[in-house]
Amino acid sequence: MFFTCGPNEAMVVSGFCRSPPVMVAGGRVFVLPCIQKIQRISLNTLTLNVKSEKVYTRHGVPISVTGIAQVKIQGQNKEMLAAACQMFLGKTEAEIAHIALETLEGHQRAIMAHMTVEEIYKDRQKFSEQVFKVASSDLVNMGISVVSYTLKDIHDDQDYLHSLGKARTAQVQKDARIGEAEAKRDAGIREAKAKQEKVSAQYLSEIEMAKAQRDYELKKAAYDIEVNTRRAQADLAYQLQVAKTKQQIEEQRVQVQVVERAQQVALQEQEIARREKELEARVRKPAEAERYRLERLAEAERSQLIMQAEAEAEAVRMRGEAEAFAIGARARAEAEQMAKKAEAFQLYQEAAQLDMLLEKLPQVAEEISTPLTSAKKITLVSSGSGTMGAAKVTGEVLDILSRLPESVERLTGVSIAQVNSKPLRTS
């Protein structure tokens, strides 16, 4: 099966044959099967009068709507043409128009049920667009395209639309009355405003005159102040010039005094210089000569003292070396003596120890009595018994000496009394 389309109709050719014939048409060669059937479908534009009688709107008001729709089978689109052939092949143009009309009328009624009378009446463009959109999406599946849709008429049997018109007429009349009242009011306002502007203009004129008078007075006062200021400035300038002249005269007089004073200072400086030269000749030069002489004497004395100090230092050094040598010799002798004593200690033991103690006792007694020899005054306090006077001092010294063996025993552990009573032991 294949299609061939003209400007106003589409022809569908279908069939089957083992050896298909050849057909020449319009200068073209077609290989045709064995023709069993040829069917045609109209591609003309169909005008549909879509009427929806007494359809209840969203608020339950029944109205009737008439719309004009232009539809046609789309022959340029093969898919839509195939769908139209499947739906309408073998049907007349009237039958196709009736199917499309029923579809449009159903969509129109559905959209009316979802809108109010006011919406349909006031916004016909919106209603037409919704019907066109919904119907187009449904009819395109049948291969039919909606070219246009227009709401032609809307009416009802309940005078609902008439009442809407009356309300609108009353609203217009009311608006007219309000407009007339507002116009009168505006006229009165404009008249009052004009009178007010007239009075305001008069007042403004008087105010401007007063301002002009005030400006005149102010400018005159300002000019008077400026004239008086200039006159006062001229007087002050004269006085200032007089003062400047006096100041210049005084400055010149002071400069003369300064010059005179400078000359006096110069004379005094010359006198001072002369006296300084005289002082230098009489006093400073002899003083400097005397100072030079004293400096030379001091330098000679210092050199002499340095030489004496160096000689004394050399003598001290030599004396120190001699003393060091003597001390060394004495130390060597003492060391030799101590070594011999140590040998004697090893040999005699207790007897040697007793000998050393007895040797040192006089030194101890001397150290004990030394403070008494250096005392200038001794005060004795007596308890009323015993001897008095110098014998008391001697007794005290002897008492200290008598306790000396006990002290030696406590310090060294050697008893002098026991050593004297025992025979001497030797190693």
Side-chain angles (χ1 to χ4, degrees), residues 50 52 55 57 63-68 104-105 107-117 119-134 149-154:
V50 185
S52 300
V55 178
T57 59
I63 60 173
S64 299
V65 171
T66 302
I68 303 298
L104 279 167
E105 201 271 335
H107 290 302
Q108 181 174 276
R109 294 175 70 89
I111 293 171
M112 288 172 64
H114 287 85
M115 296 181 68
T116 63
V117 178
E119 290 176 346
I120 299 172
Y121 180 75
K122 292 180 179 179
D123 196 352
R124 297 190 177 195
Q125 181 67 27
K126 179 181 178 182
F127 177 78
S128 299
E129 288 177 355
Q130 290 188 7
V131 174
F132 179 85
K133 181 179 179 181
V134 175
Y149 173 86
T150 304
L151 180 60
K152 180 181 179 182
D153 182 42
I154 176 172

Side-chain angles (χ1 to χ4, degrees), residues 278-291:
E278 183 179 357
L279 179 62
E280 183 176 3
R282 293 182 179 181
V283 177
R284 189 173 299 168
K285 290 295 181 64
E288 288 181 355
E290 182 65 19
R291 184 186 66 184

Side-chain angles (χ1 to χ4, degrees), residues 56-287:
Y56 285 92
T57 59
R58 190 171 65 185
H59 290 166
V61 179
I63 60 173
S64 299
V65 171
T66 302
I68 303 298
Q70 304 287 335
V71 299
K72 69 173 295 184
I73 294 174
Q74 188 59 258
Q76 302 300 322
N77 191 317
K78 291 182 180 182
E79 294 180 357
M80 292 182 66
L81 182 58
C85 289
Q86 292 178 1
M87 292 289 297
F88 306 117
L89 194 61
K91 290 182 171 54
T92 63
E93 186 174 308
E95 290 174 340
I96 296 172
H98 179 71
I99 293 172
L101 179 61
E102 290 294 330
T103 303
L104 279 167
E105 201 271 335
H107 290 302
Q108 181 174 276
R109 294 175 70 89
I111 293 171
M112 288 172 64
H114 287 85
M115 296 181 68
T116 63
V117 178
E118 288 79 2
E119 290 176 346
I120 299 172
Y121 180 75
K122 292 180 179 179
D123 196 352
R124 297 190 177 195
Q125 181 67 27
K126 179 181 178 182
F127 177 78
S128 299
E129 288 177 355
Q130 290 188 7
V131 174
F132 179 85
K133 181 179 179 181
V134 175
S136 295
S137 63
D138 196 7
L139 291 174
V140 73
N141 295 325
M142 302 179 186
I144 298 174
S145 64
V146 181
V147 179
S148 66
Y149 173 86
T150 304
L151 180 60
K152 180 181 179 182
D153 182 42
I154 176 172
H155 64 277
D156 69 302
D157 297 335
Q158 306 295 328
D159 291 336
Y160 188 85
L161 295 174
H162 183 65
S163 299
L164 289 177
K166 285 183 178 180
R168 179 60 183 166
T169 302
Q171 181 67 33
V172 171
Q173 291 177 355
K174 184 183 73 172
D175 293 341
R177 289 193 299 271
I178 293 173
E180 183 180 359
E182 289 179 349
K184 290 181 179 180
R185 181 199 62 190
D186 294 340
I189 291 172
R190 284 195 295 271
E191 184 179 358
K193 188 175 181 181
K195 290 180 180 180
Q196 184 180 1
E197 290 177 353
K198 178 181 178 182
V199 175
S200 298
Q202 184 178 357
Y203 289 159
L204 289 173
S205 177
E206 292 177 359
I207 290 171
E208 291 298 328
M209 291 176 63
K211 285 183 178 179
Q213 182 66 26
R214 182 200 62 187
D215 294 340
Y216 168 74
E217 296 293 338
L218 290 175
K219 288 182 180 180
K220 184 175 180 301
Y223 293 153
D224 292 341
I225 291 172
E226 185 177 359
V227 170
N228 294 330
T229 301
R230 295 293 177 84
R231 185 179 296 113
Q233 288 177 352
D235 294 340
L236 290 175
Y238 172 75
Q239 295 177 4
L240 181 61
Q241 187 62 37
V242 171
K244 286 182 178 180
T245 304
K246 291 181 178 180
Q247 184 178 3
Q248 290 176 357
I249 295 172
E250 183 66 20
E251 288 178 354
Q252 291 178 359
R253 185 178 65 80
V254 170
Q255 289 178 359
V256 171
Q257 293 179 355
V258 168
V259 172
E260 292 177 354
R261 182 61 180 170
Q263 292 177 355
Q264 293 177 359
V265 169
L267 292 175
Q268 292 177 359
E269 288 178 352
Q270 292 177 1
E271 181 65 19
I272 290 170
R274 185 187 64 79
R275 291 183 179 181
E276 285 181 351
K277 290 180 180 179
E278 183 179 357
L279 179 62
E280 183 176 3
R282 293 182 179 181
V283 177
R284 189 173 299 168
K285 290 295 181 64

